[in-house]
């Protein structure tokens, strides 16, 4: 109970969770992945959540010392907030989600101080300078101002572009049903002409459609329609990520009610690995991520030929 297993209620972005290991172990793991002793070298993208922080984080635990580090609640237009209701802190009411305050990342951006500087220097640059990582995946990127992303990504590339030319910045950007007044449409986060500068984001529309078609048996025309619509708005659809499972729920297997879940999953996998998307394959038991307890991940739940077909 002393930590959140999924890692999103962060107390300190600069330290390894002691439940998982040490800094030296993390560096050794990175070196092993990069060396490729058991196969091709692997790059490591670090999931980086700083749109929200946990209750033990100094910004949450001592808010009087970190004025305006969380985004103020918009009482005039409540629909323009992320959360459904405000949270009271010493400096006023703030926006929140999942029980955590939304970080006011653009605060201090013009003079490169306070919140902006803390994120840039104490989190992003700090991790880059200490660990040989190959990319960041930014959790809940849509909760932070687009101008914040444009500036910090530009400064990142100025500082590390020569050393890490292939470093990738991947955003979890979920804009639905329409952007709030301070947000931008999803294509702007990845289209080079828009100037925000992410290398890739999720294709949530296609993920939803894959589940509907392959899992629930919806007409396959929906796949073509979704991909055509995406091609109209995204300059490079091949830089979008797609999967056949949701995050934790629902899984494709749980949606298949006709007894042919494995066959449906195999078709979905073939589709995912042959279209112009970055295939996002969850950890699993060769049946996607359809397991509810950690140990089940390693149990043999599939027929003998499934893994061989999957690898082929």
């Amino acid at each position: 109970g002393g930590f959140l297993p999924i890692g999103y209620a962060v107390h300190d972005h600069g330290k390894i969770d002691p439940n998982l290991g040490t800094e030296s172990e993390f560096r050794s793991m990175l070196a092993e992945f990069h060396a490729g002793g058991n196969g091709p070298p692997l790059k490591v993208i670090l999931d980086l959540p700083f749109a929200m922080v946990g209750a033990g984080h100094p910004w949450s635990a001592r808010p009087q010392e970190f004025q305006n580090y969380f985004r103020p609640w918009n009482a005039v237009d409540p629909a323009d907030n992320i959360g459904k209701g405000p949270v009271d802190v010493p400096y006023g009411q703030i926006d929140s989600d999942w029980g955590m305050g939304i970080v006011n990342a653009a605060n201090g951006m013009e003079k490169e101080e306070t919140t902006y500087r803390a994120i840039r220097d104490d989190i992003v640059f700090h991790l880059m300078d200490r660990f040989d990582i190959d990319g960041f995946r930014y959790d809940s990127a849509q909760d932070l101002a687009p101008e914040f992303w444009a500036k910090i990504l530009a400064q990142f590339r100025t500082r590390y572009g020569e050393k890490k030319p292939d470093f990738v910045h991947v955003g979890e950007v979920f804009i639905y049903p329409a952007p709030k007044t301070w947000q931008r449409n999803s294509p702007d986060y990845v289209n080079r002409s828009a100037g925000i500068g992410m290398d890739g984001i999720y294709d949530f529309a296609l993920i939803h459609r894959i589940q509907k078609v392959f899992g629930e048996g919806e007409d396959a025309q929906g796949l073509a329609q979704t991909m055509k619509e995406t091609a109209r708005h995204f300059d490079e659809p091949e830089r979008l990520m797609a999967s056949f499972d949701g995050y934790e729920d629902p899984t494709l297997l749980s949606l298949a009610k006709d007894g042919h879940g494995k066959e449906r999953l195999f078709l979905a996998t073939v589709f995912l690995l042959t279209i112009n998307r970055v295939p996002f394959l969850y950890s699993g038991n060769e049946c996607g991520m359809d397991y509810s307890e950690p140990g089940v991940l390693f149990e043999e739940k599939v027929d003998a030929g499934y893994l061989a077909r999957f690898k082929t």
Side-chain angles (χ1 to χ4, degrees), residues 9-302:
V10 178
H11 292 188
D12 186 340
H13 286 88
K15 292 183 179 179
I16 302 295
D17 189 321
N19 294 279
L20 302 178
T22 65
E23 282 196 16
S24 62
E25 288 173 327
F26 183 52
R27 288 194 177 91
S28 296
M29 184 189 74
L30 290 171
E32 287 188 37
F33 281 137
H34 291 155
N38 294 317
L42 296 177
K43 294 185 177 182
V44 179
I45 298 177
L46 189 65
D47 197 0
L48 187 54
F50 54 70
M52 295 167 278
V53 295
H57 193 284
W59 303 349
S60 299
R62 304 194 306 275
Q64 67 278 4
E65 299 177 24
F66 299 94
Q67 298 281 322
N68 302 315
Y69 273 54
F70 294 115
R71 207 159 62 80
W73 176 260
N74 185 348
V76 177
D77 185 7
D80 217 36
N81 298 293
I82 297 296
K84 296 180 179 179
V87 171
D88 293 318
V89 295
Y91 51 84
Q93 292 188 321
I94 62 170
D95 196 0
S96 69
D97 199 16
W98 301 101
M100 295 178 281
I102 304 295
V103 172
N104 190 9
N107 178 44
M109 187 172 69
E110 183 177 346
K111 296 183 179 180
E112 299 183 7
E113 58 187 13
T114 61
T115 319
Y116 178 83
R117 183 179 61 192
I119 293 173
R120 185 193 64 186
D121 295 354
D122 300 337
I123 300 177
V124 176
F125 288 0
H126 175 78
L127 291 169
M128 283 297 298
D129 291 340
R130 293 176 70 185
F131 302 112
D132 187 19
I133 49 183
D134 307 292
F136 286 131
R137 180 265 193 189
Y138 300 106
D139 175 68
S140 302
Q142 75 279 347
D143 290 354
L144 306 181
E147 55 269 23
F148 160 81
W149 289 115
K151 182 164 185 173
I152 196 170
L153 292 178
Q155 291 188 328
F156 182 100
R157 291 183 174 109
T158 297
R159 177 165 174 154
Y160 298 104
E162 186 173 340
K163 178 183 177 182
K164 285 276 191 177
D166 297 324
F167 195 92
V168 294
H169 301 272
V170 177
E172 180 202 32
V173 178
F174 186 74
I175 306 290
Y176 182 84
K180 302 180 186 300
T181 60
W182 51 272
Q183 290 177 325
R184 300 262 289 272
N185 286 302
S186 296
D188 287 349
Y189 288 81
V190 70
N191 285 349
R192 301 182 197 276
S193 59
I196 293 179
M198 290 187 175
D199 294 307
I201 63 174
Y202 292 78
D203 190 342
F204 283 113
L206 184 59
I207 294 171
H208 173 76
R209 191 61 59 193
I210 288 173
Q211 289 201 323
K212 284 292 183 181
V213 171
F214 291 101
E216 299 181 1
E218 188 180 87
D219 193 304
Q221 280 189 325
L223 286 171
Q225 292 169 353
T226 298
M227 295 187 73
K228 286 179 180 178
E229 185 68 16
T230 301
R232 289 180 55 236
H233 298 287
F234 288 87
D235 297 338
E236 300 169 274
E238 64 273 14
R239 293 201 287 129
L240 306 181
M241 296 190 304
S243 65
F244 45 69
D245 278 334
Y247 280 2
E248 291 87 14
D249 183 59
T251 64
L252 192 144
L253 275 179
S254 69
L255 295 173
K257 307 298 184 183
D258 60 358
H260 296 290
K262 292 175 183 176
E263 292 84 354
R264 290 179 173 276
L265 180 64
F266 185 73
L267 286 172
T269 306
V270 173
F271 175 78
L272 182 64
L273 293 175
T274 52
I275 59 174
N276 61 338
R277 296 294 188 274
V278 178
F280 184 15
L281 304 176
Y282 279 94
S283 65
N285 45 25
E286 287 74 63
C287 278
M289 56 179 290
D290 201 62
Y291 58 94
S292 57
E293 298 294 334
V296 179
L297 171 61
F298 303 104
E299 292 181 2
E300 181 61 45
K301 293 179 60 178
V302 298

